[in-house]
Amino acid sequence: QVQLVESGGGLAQAGGSLRLSCAASGRSFSSYVIGWFRQAPGKEREFVAAISWGGRNTFYPDSGKGRFTISRDNVKNTIILQMNSLKPEDTAVYYCAAALAIGGTYSYTNEYDYWGQGTQVTISS
């Protein structure tokens, strides 16, 4: 059974940082890209960043990397989303997802086959 489990969400103050982790299990992900998306109340799910499972290739929105950095923790075999200089508008449920690496932008939800349950991030002003 494929599982993607997010952790590291919570409450932070504006200007602070949070580090989200995504643990994937249930199959080999060597041919997959892992992406992070977020969804605020009343808004569409938004692409944040993606990375190939081995960590060689990273993908960010056209607007650029910004304050968020995606990476791979080779020790824990997890995908990390480091979020810095947080703003209240970053408040959302953050999801990790897995897409088969067949070429694409990996910025669209329909490219992804597996999704985690999400972790809430709340930023206070």
Side-chain angles (χ1 to χ4, degrees):
Q1 181 181 358
V2 173
Q3 278 193 315
L4 298 174
V5 179
E6 305 92 341
S7 61
L11 178 65
Q13 290 189 334
S17 298
L18 282 175
R19 180 181 167 97
L20 305 184
S21 295
C22 176
S25 62
R27 67 162 299 140
S28 170
F29 287 91
S30 60
S31 298
Y32 279 76
V33 166
I34 304 298
W36 283 98
F37 287 77
R38 68 184 183 182
Q39 189 165 20
K43 294 188 176 181
E44 293 188 353
R45 199 163 290 193
E46 176 187 22
F47 174 62
V48 176
I51 189 169
S52 56
W53 180 250
R56 175 173 294 184
N57 299 309
T58 57
F59 307 87
Y60 291 96
D62 290 341
S63 57
K65 180 178 175 181
R67 299 170 285 113
F68 296 177
T69 302
I70 194 168
S71 63
R72 172 181 169 81
D73 184 329
N74 290 317
V75 174
K76 296 183 179 180
N77 207 29
T78 58
I79 302 300
I80 303 299
L81 183 68
Q82 179 67 41
M83 307 189 296
N84 297 326
S85 302
L86 287 163
K87 303 176 181 180
E89 50 263 45
D90 295 320
T91 294
V93 178
Y94 283 72
Y95 299 89
C96 70
L100 195 60
I102 56 175
T105 65
Y106 305 108
S107 60
Y108 297 99
T109 57
N110 62 7
E111 296 181 271
Y112 290 80
D113 302 306
Y114 305 106
W115 289 85
Q117 292 299 307
T119 185
Q120 176 70 47
V121 169
T122 303
I123 309 303
S124 62
S125 58

